[in-house]
Structures are given as structure tokens and as C-alpha cells.
Amino acid sequence: MRRSILAAIPAIALAGVVSVAFACSAQNSDFNLNVHANSHATAKDIGLPVYPGATLFKDKDSDSSSADLGLVLNSFHFNLQAVSFVTTDAPKQVLEFYRRPLAKYGQVLECNHGKPVGSLTVTKSGLTCGDGSDRDVELRAGRPEQFRIVGIDGTEAGKTKFGLVALVLPKDEDGK
């Protein structure tokens, strides 16, 4: 079954319907745990503008079009913010719109089904197209441990679904 970033957003949001936030500590310990999950991410939270005329996309199987999930366990940090939209404009127009806002996070890498498009295959910061997934077209910018994605799905006639995502991933053990 083909899974795209857009398909994952409603599932993530559904899992995050219950909001949980807590901090734990033990006596004489540096143990730190913080978890949060909710369905209230916005384009502004992600650090990107809303495409002009776009509306929130809600999948028929989900009540939400966004998610904000996070986990901090001592030095381990993970955060995902995502929101889905739909427009009647062509995918190419949406991609071109997001190139400039993404550029404030670094070089913009275009990926098609997990493979780089054009001559840029790795950004100066080391960001790549990732796991070779079957996602349609993506723009990525940032660093390998903290980046933004604009994922496009233009397979439905007359509609372009797209997702805005901000990811903070754990650093490699060697500090990269």
C-alpha cells in the first residue's frame, strides 16, 4: 500500500487527539521526560505561510488536519508538526510558492519519490531526500536533525493536496 506524508498526517493527528504533557523527575536524578500530543499545529507553528486560497484538508477518516507530537527524554529530542491543505492550483504552482519561504531554513532540495531532482543531491548542511520512500514530490530545507518539508500530492483531478511538516529528530550518537 502506498503511503505518503499526506496520508500519515490524519493518522498522526488521530493518535494525538488526547493531549498529554508532563514532566517527570526522580530524587537526586537528572531524568527529564516531556511528552506532548495534540491536533493543533498551524502553518505558522511550522514556520511557513499558508498557500493563498488553500483550505485545510480533512481526510474522511479523520477529524483533524494537523498534528503536533513531541518527546524529550534527557538529551533525546523528537518533534513533529504537520498540517494538510488543499487547493485547486497546480502542484507546480504550490512548489514554486514554497521555494522562497523554505530558503530561510537553508538550501531547498527537491525530491521525487525519495530521489533528488536536479543537480542538488545533498545540501551544504547534509540534508538528503531521505529514505527512498514512495512520496510524490517534496521540497526540503534545514539540517538533517531539524528540517521542514512541503509534500505535494497532485493525483486527484482538479485538486492539489499538500502537507507542511516541521521535524526535529534525535542527533546521531556521534553528535552529528
Side-chain angles (χ1 to χ4, degrees), residues 42-49 81 98 101-102 104-105 148 164 166:
T42 66
K44 185 177 180 179
D45 295 336
I46 292 168
L48 295 171
Q81 293 175 309
Y98 280 106
L102 277 170
K104 74 180 181 183
Y105 298 103
R148 308 295 189 284
L164 308 179

Side-chain angles (χ1 to χ4, degrees), residues 84-107:
S84 295
F85 293 95
V86 65
T87 181
T88 55
D89 290 347
K92 185 176 181 177
Q93 291 173 276
V94 177
L95 282 174
E96 288 309 312
F97 174 82
Y98 280 106
R99 286 185 191 280
R100 181 168 290 193
L102 277 170
K104 74 180 181 183
Y105 298 103
Q107 288 181 298

Side-chain angles (χ1 to χ4, degrees), residues 2 5 7 10 12-13 44-45 50-51 54 60 63 85-86 91-92 103-104 112 133 137 141 157 161-163 172:
R2 187 168 176 258
I5 197 159
I12 292 166
K44 185 177 180 179
D45 295 336
V50 175
Y51 182 81
K60 63 183 178 203
D63 292 335
F85 293 95
V86 65
K92 185 176 181 177
K104 74 180 181 183
N112 189 326
S133 70
V137 178
K161 293 184 274 185
F162 63 98
D172 291 338

Side-chain angles (χ1 to χ4, degrees), residues 57-139:
F57 173 77
K58 289 190 180 181
D59 187 48
K60 63 183 178 203
D61 297 330
S62 175
D63 292 335
S64 182
S65 59
S66 67
D68 181 0
L69 304 171
L71 170 67
V72 176
L73 177 59
N74 294 333
S75 64
F76 177 93
H77 295 266
F78 170 82
N79 194 61
L80 167 75
Q81 293 175 309
V83 62
S84 295
F85 293 95
V86 65
T87 181
T88 55
D89 290 347
K92 185 176 181 177
Q93 291 173 276
V94 177
L95 282 174
E96 288 309 312
F97 174 82
Y98 280 106
R99 286 185 191 280
R100 181 168 290 193
L102 277 170
K104 74 180 181 183
Y105 298 103
Q107 288 181 298
V108 178
L109 180 63
E110 184 174 339
C111 307
N112 189 326
H113 293 89
K115 304 258 190 269
V117 173
S119 60
L120 182 64
T121 59
V122 179
T123 66
K124 290 178 185 174
S125 67
L127 186 64
T128 65
C129 284
D131 58 9
S133 70
D134 65 349
R135 295 181 194 123
D136 287 347
V137 178
E138 291 181 352
L139 296 178

